[in-house]
Amino acid sequence: MFRCAWCMKKIGENQPLTALSVKFAEGVDFKDKEGEIIQVYLSSRRTSVPMFVATADSEAKKHGKDGLFTVCDEKCGQKMKNALSKEINTFQNIDI
């Protein structure tokens, strides 16, 4: 079961979800956490949110993405994208 990274609502197995993919900024390394859901602190929100760290052999990684944030809908996705764009020391290239 996933949680929306913006509103923290539980997203059920049969419910649709959207993901924001991110590339980590230069020097950010979560290789030891590949395949895990970790908590990432966002200073712009003053809270931690869940992020899935892509594995080296995943489709996301093949497309240059390092992490995924699940969101429950487009509205939360846009709010999350705006928040992530302020985290320039951690993320770059944020896509819905």
Side-chain angles (χ1 to χ4, degrees), residues 6 8 11 14 16 18 22 29 41 53-54 57 61 78-81 85-86 88 90 92 95:
W6 181 259
M8 297 308 215
I11 303 171
N14 297 324
T18 301
V22 295
D29 182 12
Y41 183 77
V53 181
D57 61 348
K61 198 70 158 177
Q78 192 57 52
K79 290 177 183 178
M80 190 66 189
K81 184 175 181 178
S85 68
K86 296 174 186 172
I88 60 172
T90 309
Q92 61 184 18
D95 298 314

